[in-house]
Amino acid sequence: MPDIDALALRLKSYLPEEQVNQVRRAYYYAEQAHDTQTRRSGEPYIIHPLAVAEILADMHMDHQSLMAAMLHDVIEDTGIKKDAISTQFGETVAELVDGVSKLTHMHFEDKTIAQAENFQKMALAMARDIRVILVKLADRLHNMRTLGVLRPEKRRRIAKETLEIYSPIANRLGMHNLRTELEDLGFNAMHPMRCSRIRAAVKHTRGNRREIVSNIQQAIAARMEQEGLSGRVVGREKHLYSIYRKMRNQHKSFSDIMDVFAFRIIVDSVDSCYRTLGLVHNLYKPIPGRFKDYIAIPKANGYQSLHTTLFGMHGIPIEIQIRTQEMEDMANNGIAAHWLYKSGDEALLGSQARTREWLKGVLELQENAGDSLEFIENVKIDLFPDEVYVFTPQGHIMELPKGATAVDFAYAVHTHVGNTCVACRIDKRLASLSQPLESGQTVEVVTAPGARPNAAWLSFVISGKARSNIRHFLKNQQHSESIALGRRLLNKALIGFDTELDKIDSRILNKAVEDAGMGSLDHLLEEIGLGNRMAYIVARRLMDGADLADDTPDQLDTSGSEKLLSIRGTEGMVISFAKCCYPIPGDPVVGHVSAGRGIVIHTEACKNIAEIRHNPEKILEVDWDKNVGGEFSVELQVEFEQERGMIAALANTVTSFDASIEKINLEERNPRFSQVQLLISVRDRIHLARLIKKLRAIKGVTSIARRRE
Ligand code: MN
């Protein structure tokens, strides 16, 4: 029966009294919060958090981790809020508890094996403080130890999740002890028969070998004493799940795997490690090619040790590992051992700083190893992720770069989804497409048929895929719009010659394209649409069969016989509307052919167009199509007497009239009168006239006019 006094006594060996008391206080708080709750076994609930804290105390974790362990199920199970914990125990402990609760909410059940690795990464990415993971692992370990009381299917579910998610995380963090215990408990719950068969076989083998093991142990120990080396020699056994995994994955028999005697020698210094190595090589002949120096070249997770294999009596292989006590602790507890060795340094109390320190240590160890790539792959990314991991509505996990938005997500799902997305829901709530996503969120993209990417998206997308797809789409769109406009312009010009493009002989067309130095008719049409070539001149050359290359605007009679180009409002980017005079359907208009930009529409009365009229070849007679559609911007100037709520009244009238406000600019002229400029969008002149009438009727409005530059 665990009790807090016994734990407190143990904590005093490595924590100051004041911190031990804080842990105690967290215990009493949790005990009260879980007051009437019991575990499945019938014991009081507080047994569980206390046991979790004990596991962390075994690893010499700090007082905040221990407090979080005491409180880790309080938010989840008792309705006490994070704020309350923060008030009682401080922000850091509250964050740790909250982080553990969030991980508890994530269930792996319905995911595929292929998703398991992303799920591990997601868990690590969500836990901003690595101690959240350590508390969660300890929580999981105690739950696995007490799995027996659960229904079989629940037992299997938790065991599966443990083997696929939590033991690999422990492995990534170099926590060997925790990992092997999780694996053996998980193995036992998933495959009780196989597990007990292997356990029995191991026990049997152990009995048979006891004498040989102790002979070898004594021989090594005696030789060390002779040489004046202090240390201890321990026999080593593979854990059950690793035996099972080897048998299954490498198709080895049980006796193949067990046909080795394995020992570990723990000594007091690195120097002693190498001296001990020489000593055992002297005692038994080493097997060539089996020596590994992981002290000089540590493994990716920071593991350090010397490994060698020897020929024992009768040729039995003997595997030897030689390391210091610190290396042993690092190998067993990984990142947690860092708290053990660096706990005196108060400046490093921030967990992130400690984790960085640990990583730095590992990185330094790695420098000789030359496989920093593997290091970055396996450790760094997991702890300080440059990625976010989010769920699709189907529960799949998507990996995205940090800062990615729903638009990046949409393009990661499929280019088509990205191109047609219009809105998104994050955790079932409507959210802005530009909002950066966070790990653990569920993202759903709303698409609409016919929707198009917006150039503004380029300002917030992060992923290369989204960026290049949006650019590509916009470019293509402009390309096809230019061709369509070029075709209309050329046809319009050809009407003057009583013909149209489709009626012109293809040889003449091809010649014209070739003479113009264009690769295709589409290219020529695009050039016309973009305003780089005059439709009238191309038309004349087609009719004369004249040389198109001589493209001087000599004789220009663009008026007269030509029919007007009609504006439909759906041409896209190649026809734009001038921001000086804001033409709307119904206004008399003129087109300005602007090289590279297509056609810009102005009102006939616009001052800017008066200047352009000196270059008649740049002017295009245009008119509105009778089926013109879309919304057009227009600017209004409203003067009114100072009155409360005037802007709101104006805005309400505009929107209730099926128009929308794009911009409001307020100028106070004197204390009595104000003037406001409204940029609104309307369908046409009739729509605008009716709206102006309504606005004029608002009490306080003294004057209203359409604004023209
Ligand atoms: Mn728990």
Side-chain angles (χ1 to χ4, degrees):
M1 184 78 171
D3 77 274
I4 181 66
D5 294 327
L7 176 65
L9 205 63
R10 280 173 56 204
L11 293 181
K12 276 182 192 154
S13 72
Y14 75 95
L15 289 180
E17 177 110 26
E18 185 263 331
Q19 292 183 356
V20 177
N21 287 339
Q22 287 191 56
V23 175
R24 217 183 243 284
R25 206 159 59 79
Y27 168 84
Y28 291 126
Y29 187 93
E31 191 182 38
Q32 275 194 15
H34 291 293
D35 187 20
T36 54
Q37 293 170 337
T38 53
R39 296 206 91 206
R40 184 66 58 115
S41 61
E43 296 166 303
Y45 195 86
I46 191 65
I47 296 289
H48 166 64
L50 184 58
V52 174
E54 287 185 327
I55 291 167
L56 293 169
D58 289 342
M59 299 189 273
H60 285 209
M61 290 298 298
D62 66 338
H63 70 294
Q64 290 175 326
S65 308
L66 293 161
M67 290 164 77
M70 295 296 186
L71 300 163
H72 81 271
D73 280 329
V74 162
I75 292 182
E76 182 75 8
D77 294 347
T78 71
I80 289 172
K81 295 274 185 307
K82 183 184 166 189
D83 285 353
I85 293 181
S86 177
T87 317
Q88 280 288 324
F89 301 104
E91 185 60 26
T92 309
V93 173
E95 283 293 339
L96 291 175
V97 173
D98 189 50
V100 176
S101 302
K102 281 192 181 124
L103 285 180
T104 307
H105 273 293
M106 303 201 335
H107 287 297
F108 184 69
E109 295 154 62
D110 49 348
K111 313 289 181 302
T112 60
I113 300 255
Q115 293 271 297
E117 193 173 340
N118 276 343
F119 203 88
Q120 295 161 26
K121 290 184 186 171
M122 181 188 254
L124 289 165
M126 279 175 69
R128 277 183 219 122
D129 187 326
I130 194 71
R131 289 177 295 178
V132 168
I133 297 285
L134 301 182
V135 174
K136 183 66 203 171
L137 287 172
D139 173 42
R140 178 52 60 111
L141 180 59
H142 185 245
N143 285 335
M144 288 300 292
R145 283 177 181 170
T146 53
L147 207 53
V149 293
L150 300 179
R151 292 188 315 277
E153 73 271 26
K154 191 165 184 200
R155 215 185 298 168
R156 287 177 61 85
R157 175 176 75 70
I158 294 179
K160 182 169 182 276
E161 194 178 72
T162 300
L163 290 177
E164 288 175 0
I165 306 298
Y166 289 103
S167 70
I169 288 178
N171 186 35
R172 279 166 191 267
L173 299 178
M175 304 171 77
H176 177 78
N177 283 356
L178 205 129
R179 172 201 170 196
T180 53
E181 190 176 353
L182 285 176
E183 283 186 347
D184 279 353
L185 291 166
F187 179 37
N188 189 40
M190 287 294 283
H191 306 290
M193 293 300 285
R194 293 174 219 187
C195 184
S196 71
R197 240 179 288 137
I198 292 179
R199 188 184 293 116
V202 168
K203 203 175 161 199
H204 181 75
T205 316
R206 194 189 295 147
N208 287 345
R209 305 193 330 175
R210 187 167 291 142
E211 208 184 312
I212 306 175
V213 168
S214 95
N215 285 344
I216 298 172
Q217 227 169 337
Q218 280 167 18
I220 297 173
R223 183 63 66 92
M224 284 176 70
E225 213 185 309
Q226 259 177 33
E227 300 288 326
L229 281 165
S230 64
R232 57 202 162 90
V233 185
V234 289
R236 207 158 51 77
E237 278 179 6
K238 288 200 162 54
H239 69 292
L240 304 180
Y241 189 61
S242 84
I243 297 171
Y244 170 68
R245 205 167 28 203
K246 273 211 164 110
M247 290 170 72
R248 197 189 51 190
N249 296 349
Q250 301 175 14
H251 305 288
K252 285 190 172 166
S253 72
F254 180 77
S255 54
D256 281 348
I257 295 165
M258 294 303 283
D259 196 17
V260 173
F261 290 79
F263 298 88
R264 181 172 303 146
I265 307 174
I266 316 285
V267 294
D268 54 9
S269 68
V270 173
D271 184 54
S272 302
C273 291
Y274 290 100
R275 287 177 62 201
T276 308
L277 178 76
L279 175 153
V280 296
H281 280 180
N282 213 317
L283 192 58
Y284 303 100
K285 200 166 142 46
I287 299 178
R290 297 290 294 273
F291 168 64
K292 296 236 165 53
D293 187 350
Y294 292 120
I295 290 178
I297 303 172
K299 286 191 182 179
N301 59 11
Y303 174 88
Q304 284 188 295
S305 190
L306 298 177
H307 288 190
T308 188
T309 307
L310 315 164
F311 287 112
M313 300 142 293
H314 318 296
I316 335 162
I318 306 172
E319 280 180 7
I320 306 271
Q321 298 175 346
I322 306 166
R323 56 178 78 150
T324 65
Q325 183 62 47
E326 182 166 352
M327 291 174 195
E328 167 79 350
D329 290 332
M330 287 289 176
N332 288 334
N333 292 328
I335 191 166
H338 191 76
W339 268 265
L340 176 61
Y341 280 93
K342 302 285 158 83
S343 57
D345 193 347
E346 286 295 315
L348 280 172
L349 271 181
S351 166
Q352 218 59 293
R354 280 182 177 237
T355 312
R356 269 176 219 282
E357 182 77 357
W358 176 72
L359 278 173
K360 213 177 92 198
V362 175
L363 191 59
E364 275 165 12
L365 296 175
Q366 281 285 309
E367 258 168 21
N368 307 321
D371 64 349
S372 56
L373 200 68
E374 194 196 344
F375 165 78
I376 286 164
E377 289 287 300
N378 291 332
V379 189
K380 185 153 178 279
I381 288 175
D382 298 348
L383 296 178
F384 301 107
D386 295 320
E387 284 88 28
V388 291
Y389 300 88
V390 295
F391 291 107
T392 68
Q394 293 75 37
H396 295 299
I397 297 170
M398 304 279 290
E399 180 186 319
L400 297 165
K402 196 175 199 159
T405 62
V407 173
D408 294 287
F409 174 87
Y411 276 102
V413 171
H414 195 278
T415 304
H416 183 71
V417 176
N419 282 341
T420 56
C421 78
V422 290
C424 73
R425 289 191 191 90
I426 297 177
D427 290 336
K428 303 210 167 100
R429 284 215 186 115
L430 271 178
S432 151
L433 282 174
S434 63
Q435 183 180 321
L437 303 175
E438 285 173 25
S439 285
Q441 289 176 331
T442 299
V443 185
E444 184 190 349
V445 168
V446 183
T447 61
R452 296 158 161 206
N454 186 330
W457 293 353
L458 288 170
S459 68
F460 60 74
V461 295
I462 294 287
S463 59
K465 185 172 183 194
R467 188 169 296 279
S468 65
N469 272 307
I470 295 167
R471 285 222 177 97
H472 184 179
F473 187 97
L474 293 174
K475 215 175 147 208
N476 261 347
Q477 186 190 351
Q478 191 185 23
H479 175 72
S480 55
E481 284 168 3
S482 308
I483 293 174
L485 178 63
R487 182 179 295 274
R488 286 176 65 196
L489 288 170
L490 187 56
N491 265 325
K492 183 181 77 81
L494 286 168
I495 285 169
F497 301 97
D498 260 340
T499 184
E500 57 188 273
L501 198 55
D502 290 345
K503 287 186 186 154
I504 294 176
D505 189 286
S506 65
R507 274 170 308 177
I508 294 176
L509 264 181
N510 289 340
K511 172 106 176 39
V513 167
E514 200 181 300
D515 289 346
M518 299 285 140
S520 65
L521 177 61
D522 276 355
H523 194 179
L524 180 60
L525 294 175
E526 185 184 5
E527 286 287 290
I528 297 170
L530 286 172
N532 294 335
R533 273 170 195 275
M534 299 302 301
Y536 177 77
I537 293 166
V538 175
R540 264 208 48 167
R541 296 290 149 89
L542 280 175
M543 298 320 292
D544 303 349
D547 184 6
L548 211 65
D550 176 25
D551 196 0
T552 43
D554 41 6
Q555 67 300 62
L556 271 171
D557 180 19
T558 50
S559 60
S561 58
E562 289 180 48
K563 212 182 110 194
L564 300 175
L565 176 80
S566 57
I567 314 279
R568 295 165 188 162
T570 53
E571 289 83 358
M573 291 182 283
V574 284
I575 287 191
S576 55
F577 299 91
K579 294 203 180 342
C580 43
C581 52
Y582 289 111
I584 60 172
D587 289 337
V589 281
V590 178
H592 166 214
V593 183
S594 164
R597 284 180 57 201
I599 295 170
V600 184
I601 307 298
H602 292 259
T603 62
E604 256 188 4
C606 180
K607 270 188 269 165
N608 293 332
I609 212 75
E611 287 167 25
I612 301 165
R613 280 190 199 274
H614 299 304
N615 293 323
E617 78 281 2
K618 298 240 155 146
I619 295 293
L620 191 71
E621 301 300 323
V622 295
D623 197 4
W624 301 97
D625 193 271
K626 64 177 188 299
N627 294 319
V628 63
E631 293 203 315
F632 299 85
S633 302
V634 68
E635 217 173 7
L636 292 181
Q637 184 153 308
V638 185
E639 283 176 15
F640 54 87
E641 291 174 44
Q642 281 295 21
E643 210 158 322
R644 268 177 174 278
M646 202 60 199
I647 297 289
L650 288 171
N652 280 337
T653 307
V654 170
T655 46
S656 71
F657 219 67
D658 203 19
S660 52
I661 296 187
E662 292 169 28
K663 212 157 91 188
I664 297 186
N665 224 342
L666 182 71
E667 265 172 48
E668 205 171 296
R669 308 191 88 189
N670 62 46
R672 282 200 59 214
F673 287 96
S674 282
Q675 177 174 295
V676 65
Q677 270 124 41
L678 291 177
L679 186 64
I680 59 174
S681 44
V682 295
R683 288 187 296 277
D684 52 26
R685 271 175 83 104
I686 298 168
H687 188 196
L688 178 66
R690 287 183 186 149
L691 175 61
I692 288 179
K693 208 170 150 196
K694 278 278 172 205
L695 290 172
R696 192 164 280 146
I698 297 174
K699 187 173 164 283
V701 171
T702 52
S703 110
I704 181 163
R706 185 167 166 193
R707 194 156 175 263
R708 297 161 204 262
E709 215 61 33

